[in-house]
Amino acid sequence: MTDRGHHLNLNRGKEGERVAKVIARAGLCSRRDAERWIADGRVSVNGKMLDTPAFTVGPADRILVDGRTLPAPEAPRLFLYHKPVGLVTTVRDEKGRPTVFAHLPPGLPRVVSVGRLDLTSEGLLLLTNDGGLSRYLELPANALTRCYRVRVHGAVNAARLARLAQGITVDGVRYGPVEARIEGGSGANVWIAVRLKDGKNREVRKVMAHLGLQVTRLIRTAYGPFQLGYLPPGSAMEVPPNDLKNKLAGYFGQRSRLPSVNRNGQE
């Protein structure tokens, strides 16, 4: 039994890490989902039900989700997925539109996406079984470059594209430096190569619209050190473990210093 009404001591010192992060690293869900599970009363620590995700756990703490101990964390895995147009990057869609997760190739473990691509965007979408890795790849502080090929309709001004390298404010939202150069095409349909690090919601489309350009096709070709290459639409490929560790040495170095958490015992 767990005590829902008992407030846990939140001042637990500097050691350990947030409980939602531990749950995500165990591969049950994303960190944000873990925070929702806590709010729904599904998570307890040492027999006491949590009512806030602002709680730090250490090696001696016993975490239960729905009355069950956490599974041992799987080794982090990362998959490159070529998202086609027409799928939304969500598990369930309120409008009933087809989703990425309902159309993944067979044989993948439970995965979460690293960021999103909207319904009409295509290209590289990273998928991982590790919520902590997803968070690491998304954090602006880690400044991973996203690369896109963007087809636009309209009069393209090379000088205005070049000025995007200084950053730009659109509808009150400040976007960081954007590298944009004309790649090809002719007339009113031109391909532009875009590189950016912010990755804010619909950033490429909003910036192009601010320049009077309508995006008619948007393909993400790279995310950090990972490339789409010639991966066919709708297919996925795992990044080899050694390659993953080499390319994300910062994350794996940080992860090796995290404390393990007690998973023994039943309640």
Side-chain angles (χ1 to χ4, degrees):
M1 295 291 292
T2 56
D3 181 0
R4 174 71 173 172
H6 188 283
H7 250 304
L8 291 172
N9 178 17
L10 302 183
N11 184 18
R12 299 170 59 87
K14 296 182 180 179
E15 294 186 2
E17 58 183 327
R18 288 293 178 93
V19 62
K21 191 173 183 179
V22 174
I23 295 171
R25 200 169 70 248
L28 293 183
C29 60
S30 69
R31 186 171 176 176
R32 292 186 183 92
D33 284 340
E35 291 172 351
R36 285 192 285 269
W37 289 3
I38 292 167
D40 292 341
R42 298 175 58 183
V43 179
S44 67
V45 176
N46 302 330
K48 304 297 182 182
M49 193 70 72
L50 292 185
D51 56 10
T52 173
F55 188 79
T56 301
V57 294
D61 291 313
R62 184 158 50 110
I63 304 169
L64 302 183
V65 176
D66 295 333
R68 298 182 179 181
T69 55
L70 293 184
E74 298 178 353
R77 301 171 68 185
L78 188 71
F79 299 85
L80 314 181
Y81 172 66
H82 188 158
K83 177 196 172 296
V85 171
L87 301 180
V88 291
T89 313
T90 184
V91 176
R92 291 174 296 276
D93 182 63
E94 296 176 352
K95 299 179 181 178
R97 295 171 296 184
T99 72
V100 162
F101 294 98
H103 290 78
L104 292 177
L108 268 66
R110 190 205 67 82
V111 291
V112 296
S113 66
V114 177
R116 298 188 177 193
L117 287 173
D118 65 23
L119 181 70
T120 56
S121 298
E122 58 192 293
L124 180 62
L125 182 66
L126 300 182
L127 306 171
T128 177
N129 66 332
D130 187 292
L133 178 55
S134 173
R135 178 76 171 165
Y136 176 87
L137 292 167
E138 290 176 353
L139 279 175
N142 293 320
L144 294 177
T145 300
R146 288 83 153 160
C147 300
Y148 302 85
R149 293 189 69 232
V150 185
R151 188 177 66 194
V152 298
H153 180 79
V156 179
N157 183 305
R160 294 189 73 190
L161 288 181
R163 284 197 294 271
L164 293 177
Q166 303 169 16
I168 189 171
T169 300
V170 179
D171 296 331
V173 177
R174 183 64 184 175
Y175 297 102
V178 176
E179 297 179 29
R181 60 177 177 80
I182 298 173
E183 191 176 59
S186 60
N189 288 288
V190 175
W191 283 96
I192 299 174
V194 175
R195 293 164 53 91
L196 53 87
K197 293 182 178 179
D198 269 8
K200 291 186 173 73
N201 183 41
R202 297 177 64 83
E203 179 173 349
V204 174
R205 294 180 186 276
K206 291 177 180 179
V207 169
M208 292 298 147
H210 185 75
L211 299 182
L213 303 172
Q214 178 189 0
V215 173
T216 57
R217 193 172 180 191
L218 191 154
I219 308 167
R220 183 192 281 158
T221 57
Y223 193 116
F226 305 105
Q227 308 286 325
L228 177 64
Y230 296 100
L231 190 65
S235 61
M237 178 179 71
E238 183 169 6
V239 178
N242 287 339
D243 195 20
L244 181 61
K245 290 180 180 179
N246 290 335
K247 289 182 175 179
L248 298 178
Y251 173 72
F252 285 94
Q254 163 190 302
R255 189 173 186 269
S256 67
R257 296 189 293 271
L258 294 175
S260 60
V261 175
N262 178 19
R263 291 177 171 82
N264 296 323
Q266 296 289 337
E267 187 171 26

